[in-house]
Amino acid sequence: MFVFRLLRLIAHLFLGMAICAILFPFTSAKGQEAHIRRWSRKLLSVCGISVKIDSPQPIPRALLVANHISWLDIFVVNSLQPCRFVAKSDIRGWPLIGWLCAKTGTIFISRGKASDVRRIFKGLVESIEKGEVVAFFPEGTTAPQGTLLPFHANLFEAAIDAKAPVQPYALRYVDSQGKLHPAADFIGDMSIVESILAILKSRGMTAELKQLPIIPTEGAHRRDLARVSHAVIAGGLGYAVEELSPVSAPADIAPGTAPDPQVAPQ
Protein backbone atom coordinates (compact mmCIF):
# COMPACT_ATOMS: atom_id res chain seq x y z
CA MET A 1 0.00 0.00 0.00
CA PHE A 2 2.84 2.40 0.86
CA VAL A 3 4.62 1.81 -2.45
CA PHE A 4 1.34 2.20 -4.34
CA ARG A 5 0.67 5.54 -2.59
CA LEU A 6 4.18 6.73 -3.35
CA LEU A 7 3.86 5.90 -7.05
CA ARG A 8 0.47 7.60 -7.22
CA LEU A 9 1.91 10.70 -5.55
CA ILE A 10 4.81 10.90 -8.02
CA ALA A 11 2.41 10.44 -10.94
CA HIS A 12 0.12 13.16 -9.56
CA LEU A 13 3.03 15.59 -9.19
CA PHE A 14 3.99 15.03 -12.83
CA LEU A 15 0.34 15.51 -13.82
CA GLY A 16 0.39 18.87 -12.04
CA MET A 17 3.53 19.87 -13.93
CA ALA A 18 1.88 18.93 -17.22
CA ILE A 19 -1.22 20.98 -16.39
CA CYS A 20 0.92 24.03 -15.53
CA ALA A 21 3.14 23.70 -18.61
CA ILE A 22 0.52 22.78 -21.22
CA LEU A 23 -2.87 24.06 -20.07
CA PHE A 24 -2.14 27.14 -17.95
CA PRO A 25 -0.87 29.31 -20.85
CA PHE A 26 -4.25 28.91 -22.55
CA THR A 27 -6.47 29.02 -19.45
CA SER A 28 -8.17 32.00 -17.80
CA ALA A 29 -7.45 32.94 -14.19
CA LYS A 30 -10.72 31.31 -13.08
CA GLY A 31 -9.88 28.19 -15.05
CA GLN A 32 -6.45 28.01 -13.44
CA GLU A 33 -8.04 28.33 -10.00
CA ALA A 34 -10.34 25.40 -10.81
CA HIS A 35 -7.36 23.28 -11.86
CA ILE A 36 -5.45 24.18 -8.69
CA ARG A 37 -8.44 23.40 -6.49
CA ARG A 38 -9.08 19.99 -8.09
CA TRP A 39 -5.40 19.07 -8.16
CA SER A 40 -4.91 20.03 -4.50
CA ARG A 41 -7.91 17.97 -3.41
CA LYS A 42 -6.60 14.98 -5.34
CA LEU A 43 -3.11 15.40 -3.86
CA LEU A 44 -4.52 15.22 -0.33
CA SER A 45 -6.59 12.18 -1.28
CA VAL A 46 -3.53 10.42 -2.73
CA CYS A 47 -1.71 11.11 0.56
CA GLY A 48 -4.59 9.46 2.43
CA ILE A 49 -5.81 12.72 3.93
CA SER A 50 -9.48 13.63 4.12
CA VAL A 51 -10.44 17.28 4.44
CA LYS A 52 -13.08 18.86 6.66
CA ILE A 53 -13.68 22.51 5.87
CA ASP A 54 -15.76 24.81 8.02
CA SER A 55 -16.18 27.78 5.68
CA PRO A 56 -19.72 29.18 5.77
CA GLN A 57 -18.84 32.34 3.82
CA PRO A 58 -17.03 32.93 0.51
CA ILE A 59 -13.53 34.35 0.96
CA PRO A 60 -13.58 38.04 0.00
CA ARG A 61 -10.79 40.17 -1.39
CA ALA A 62 -8.58 39.72 1.64
CA LEU A 63 -5.28 38.80 3.22
CA LEU A 64 -5.65 35.22 4.43
CA VAL A 65 -3.62 34.10 7.46
CA ALA A 66 -3.40 30.74 9.21
CA ASN A 67 -1.25 28.81 11.64
CA HIS A 68 1.52 26.78 10.01
CA ILE A 69 2.13 23.06 10.59
CA SER A 70 3.26 21.43 7.36
CA TRP A 71 3.97 21.82 3.65
CA LEU A 72 0.48 20.31 3.31
CA ASP A 73 -1.07 23.56 4.59
CA ILE A 74 -0.80 25.29 1.21
CA PHE A 75 -2.71 22.50 -0.51
CA VAL A 76 -5.38 22.30 2.20
CA VAL A 77 -6.09 26.00 1.75
CA ASN A 78 -5.91 25.70 -2.05
CA SER A 79 -8.46 22.88 -1.93
CA LEU A 80 -10.90 25.53 -0.66
CA GLN A 81 -9.67 28.69 -2.36
CA PRO A 82 -6.52 28.95 -4.50
CA CYS A 83 -4.37 31.76 -3.12
CA ARG A 84 -1.13 33.55 -3.88
CA PHE A 85 1.05 32.37 -1.01
CA VAL A 86 4.10 34.15 0.35
CA ALA A 87 6.77 31.54 1.07
CA LYS A 88 10.46 31.27 1.89
CA SER A 89 12.68 30.96 -1.17
CA ASP A 90 13.97 27.60 0.12
CA ILE A 91 10.73 25.99 -1.06
CA ARG A 92 11.55 26.90 -4.65
CA GLY A 93 14.32 24.28 -4.54
CA TRP A 94 12.12 21.40 -3.40
CA PRO A 95 11.87 18.62 -6.01
CA LEU A 96 8.71 18.97 -8.15
CA ILE A 97 6.71 20.71 -5.38
CA GLY A 98 8.84 23.85 -5.58
CA TRP A 99 8.33 24.14 -9.34
CA LEU A 100 4.58 23.63 -8.96
CA CYS A 101 4.36 26.29 -6.25
CA ALA A 102 6.18 28.75 -8.52
CA LYS A 103 3.88 28.05 -11.47
CA THR A 104 0.74 28.48 -9.36
CA GLY A 105 1.61 32.00 -8.21
CA THR A 106 3.60 31.53 -5.01
CA ILE A 107 5.59 34.64 -4.09
CA PHE A 108 9.05 33.63 -2.87
CA ILE A 109 10.95 35.84 -0.48
CA SER A 110 14.58 35.53 0.67
CA ARG A 111 15.63 35.92 4.29
CA GLY A 112 17.88 38.87 4.98
CA LYS A 113 17.41 40.60 1.60
CA ALA A 114 15.73 43.96 2.09
CA SER A 115 15.69 44.60 -1.66
CA ASP A 116 13.78 41.35 -2.21
CA VAL A 117 11.17 42.32 0.36
CA ARG A 118 10.70 45.77 -1.19
CA ARG A 119 10.26 44.13 -4.58
CA ILE A 120 7.47 41.81 -3.50
CA PHE A 121 5.66 44.07 -1.00
CA LYS A 122 4.18 46.36 -3.63
CA GLY A 123 3.10 43.29 -5.58
CA LEU A 124 1.22 41.96 -2.55
CA VAL A 125 -0.79 45.15 -2.26
CA GLU A 126 -1.51 45.23 -6.00
CA SER A 127 -2.63 41.58 -5.98
CA ILE A 128 -5.10 42.22 -3.15
CA GLU A 129 -6.37 45.39 -4.85
CA LYS A 130 -7.03 43.34 -8.01
CA GLY A 131 -9.29 41.01 -6.03
CA GLU A 132 -6.83 38.17 -5.50
CA VAL A 133 -6.64 36.33 -2.19
CA VAL A 134 -3.08 36.57 -0.86
CA ALA A 135 -2.09 34.23 1.97
CA PHE A 136 0.80 33.89 4.38
CA PHE A 137 1.67 32.16 7.64
CA PRO A 138 2.50 34.87 10.21
CA GLU A 139 4.42 32.49 12.50
CA GLY A 140 7.14 32.61 9.84
CA THR A 141 7.87 28.88 10.13
CA THR A 142 6.14 25.63 11.00
CA ALA A 143 5.31 24.76 14.60
CA PRO A 144 4.41 21.45 16.29
CA GLN A 145 0.72 20.85 16.65
CA GLY A 146 -0.50 21.98 20.05
CA THR A 147 1.57 25.17 19.90
CA LEU A 148 1.20 28.56 18.26
CA LEU A 149 4.30 30.68 17.73
CA PRO A 150 4.31 34.49 17.98
CA PHE A 151 3.01 36.27 14.86
CA HIS A 152 5.27 38.58 12.89
CA ALA A 153 3.35 41.76 12.16
CA ASN A 154 5.04 43.31 9.14
CA LEU A 155 3.22 41.64 6.24
CA PHE A 156 -0.14 42.65 7.74
CA GLU A 157 0.76 46.10 6.40
CA ALA A 158 -0.23 44.87 2.92
CA ALA A 159 -3.86 44.47 4.00
CA ILE A 160 -3.88 47.97 5.50
CA ASP A 161 -2.40 49.52 2.33
CA ALA A 162 -4.85 47.59 0.12
CA LYS A 163 -7.80 48.52 2.38
CA ALA A 164 -8.76 44.87 2.62
CA PRO A 165 -9.73 42.78 5.66
CA VAL A 166 -7.76 39.94 7.20
CA GLN A 167 -9.36 36.49 6.96
CA PRO A 168 -7.96 34.14 9.64
CA TYR A 169 -8.19 30.34 9.50
CA ALA A 170 -7.38 27.71 12.09
CA LEU A 171 -5.82 24.51 10.76
CA ARG A 172 -5.09 21.20 12.39
CA TYR A 173 -4.56 17.55 11.45
CA VAL A 174 -6.31 14.88 13.52
CA ASP A 175 -6.53 11.10 13.64
CA SER A 176 -9.64 8.93 13.65
CA GLN A 177 -10.06 9.62 17.37
CA GLY A 178 -9.96 13.39 16.89
CA LYS A 179 -6.50 13.69 18.45
CA LEU A 180 -3.69 15.71 16.87
CA HIS A 181 -1.93 13.51 14.30
CA PRO A 182 1.86 13.43 14.89
CA ALA A 183 2.69 12.56 11.26
CA ALA A 184 1.61 16.03 10.13
CA ASP A 185 4.37 17.88 11.99
CA PHE A 186 7.10 19.22 9.69
CA ILE A 187 9.62 20.72 12.08
CA GLY A 188 13.27 20.87 13.04
CA ASP A 189 15.72 19.23 10.65
CA MET A 190 13.08 17.06 8.97
CA SER A 191 13.42 17.11 5.18
CA ILE A 192 10.53 17.34 2.76
CA VAL A 193 11.19 13.73 1.68
CA GLU A 194 11.09 12.50 5.30
CA SER A 195 7.83 14.36 5.85
CA ILE A 196 6.23 12.93 2.71
CA LEU A 197 7.22 9.38 3.68
CA ALA A 198 5.83 9.82 7.21
CA ILE A 199 2.53 11.08 5.83
CA LEU A 200 2.23 8.28 3.27
CA LYS A 201 2.83 5.70 6.01
CA SER A 202 0.22 7.25 8.31
CA ARG A 203 -3.42 6.25 8.51
CA GLY A 204 -6.67 8.07 9.20
CA MET A 205 -5.48 11.67 8.94
CA THR A 206 -8.04 14.44 8.54
CA ALA A 207 -7.17 18.08 7.82
CA GLU A 208 -9.59 20.44 9.55
CA LEU A 209 -9.72 24.01 8.24
CA LYS A 210 -11.93 26.39 10.19
CA GLN A 211 -12.98 29.83 8.97
CA LEU A 212 -12.86 32.49 11.68
CA PRO A 213 -14.42 35.98 11.85
CA ILE A 214 -13.02 38.54 9.43
CA ILE A 215 -10.82 41.21 11.01
CA PRO A 216 -11.30 44.73 9.60
CA THR A 217 -8.18 46.79 8.94
CA GLU A 218 -9.50 50.35 8.69
CA GLY A 219 -7.60 52.53 11.16
CA ALA A 220 -5.65 49.53 12.48
CA HIS A 221 -1.92 49.12 13.03
CA ARG A 222 -0.23 45.99 11.77
CA ARG A 223 0.74 45.02 15.34
CA ASP A 224 -2.90 45.18 16.36
CA LEU A 225 -3.82 42.96 13.41
CA ALA A 226 -1.11 40.45 14.34
CA ARG A 227 -2.23 40.42 17.98
CA VAL A 228 -5.93 40.00 17.17
CA SER A 229 -5.22 37.36 14.49
CA HIS A 230 -3.08 35.41 16.95
CA ALA A 231 -5.81 35.48 19.59
CA VAL A 232 -8.58 34.56 17.12
CA ILE A 233 -6.63 31.63 15.64
CA ALA A 234 -5.60 30.43 19.11
CA GLY A 235 -9.28 30.45 20.08
CA GLY A 236 -10.20 28.60 16.90
CA LEU A 237 -7.69 25.89 17.80
CA GLY A 238 -9.00 25.69 21.35
CA TYR A 239 -5.84 27.08 22.96
CA ALA A 240 -5.86 29.32 26.02
CA VAL A 241 -4.29 32.59 24.80
CA GLU A 242 -2.64 33.33 28.12
CA GLU A 243 -0.71 30.04 27.88
CA LEU A 244 0.87 30.96 24.54
CA SER A 245 3.97 33.00 23.82
CA PRO A 246 3.31 36.75 23.47
CA VAL A 247 3.03 38.25 20.00
CA SER A 248 6.35 39.50 18.69
CA ALA A 249 6.72 43.22 18.10
CA PRO A 250 9.36 43.96 15.45
CA ALA A 251 10.53 47.50 14.77
CA ASP A 252 8.09 49.89 13.18
CA ILE A 253 8.10 50.67 9.50
CA ALA A 254 6.39 53.58 7.82
CA PRO A 255 3.12 52.78 5.99
CA GLY A 256 3.74 51.73 2.42
CA THR A 257 7.38 50.78 2.95
CA ALA A 258 8.85 47.31 2.88
CA PRO A 259 8.59 45.09 5.97
CA ASP A 260 11.47 43.50 7.83
CA PRO A 261 13.14 40.90 5.59
CA GLN A 262 13.47 38.47 8.49
CA VAL A 263 9.77 37.60 8.54
CA ALA A 264 9.52 35.48 5.40
CA PRO A 265 7.04 32.69 6.06
CA GLN A 266 7.59 29.07 5.15
Side-chain angles (χ1 to χ4, degrees):
M1 178 62 72
F2 167 74
V3 174
F4 178 64
R5 276 188 178 183
L6 179 60
L7 292 175
R8 286 184 68 199
L9 175 60
I10 294 171
H12 190 61
L13 291 173
F14 278 110
L15 173 62
M17 296 178 75
I19 291 171
C20 290
I22 299 171
L23 297 182
F24 269 27
F26 309 101
T27 307
S28 67
K30 287 294 182 184
Q32 290 181 10
E33 285 190 2
H35 279 300
I36 293 170
R37 186 181 295 108
R38 286 194 297 268
W39 187 90
S40 296
R41 290 174 179 173
K42 184 63 175 179
L43 173 72
L44 296 168
S45 175
V46 168
C47 290
I49 301 170
S50 58
V51 182
K52 179 181 178 182
I53 297 176
D54 178 7
S55 180
Q57 302 295 329
I59 298 176
R61 181 180 70 91
L63 179 68
L64 188 151
V65 297
N67 57 301
H68 198 14
I69 301 162
S70 168
W71 58 272
L72 289 168
D73 302 347
I74 289 176
F75 303 107
V76 173
V77 174
N78 276 343
S79 71
L80 168 66
Q81 168 64 58
C83 301
R84 296 202 68 190
F85 279 88
V86 181
K88 289 189 293 191
S89 58
D90 305 28
I91 293 175
R92 183 65 182 84
W94 288 357
L96 304 183
I97 292 176
W99 188 89
L100 286 168
C101 287
K103 291 299 181 181
T104 52
T106 298
I107 303 164
F108 295 107
I109 184 170
S110 300
R111 284 182 177 271
K113 290 187 178 180
S115 60
D116 201 36
V117 179
R118 295 188 194 99
R119 175 182 58 81
I120 68 101
F121 187 72
K122 183 179 179 182
L124 293 182
V125 176
E126 291 175 348
S127 293
I128 299 173
E129 289 176 339
K130 289 190 298 185
E132 296 177 351
V133 179
V134 173
F136 82 103
F137 302 108
E139 289 169 283
T141 189
T142 53
Q145 294 209 83
T147 63
L148 189 65
L149 299 177
F151 280 11
H152 295 283
N154 285 335
L155 289 183
F156 285 92
E157 189 81 20
I160 297 171
D161 286 5
K163 296 180 174 58
V166 172
Q167 173 63 75
Y169 272 84
L171 174 62
R172 66 176 190 160
Y173 299 87
V174 299
D175 60 21
S176 57
Q177 305 301 314
K179 298 179 180 179
L180 299 178
H181 204 303
D185 288 350
F186 180 41
I187 55 175
D189 296 328
M190 178 180 284
S191 69
I192 181 65
V193 173
E194 290 172 329
S195 178
I196 289 173
L197 295 180
I199 289 165
L200 292 178
K201 291 176 182 177
S202 68
R203 292 288 185 274
M205 187 185 298
T206 298
E208 296 183 344
L209 185 65
K210 182 178 182 180
Q211 187 181 45
L212 301 167
I214 283 178
I215 302 170
T217 60
E218 184 177 358
H221 189 278
R222 69 185 185 283
R223 287 187 185 177
D224 297 329
L225 295 177
R227 186 175 297 107
V228 172
S229 297
H230 189 273
V232 168
I233 291 175
L237 292 169
Y239 302 160
V241 177
E242 60 272 13
E243 296 177 0
L244 299 171
S245 300
V247 177
S248 58
D252 283 345
I253 58 172
T257 59
D260 186 340
Q262 299 298 326
V263 301
Q266 178 165 308

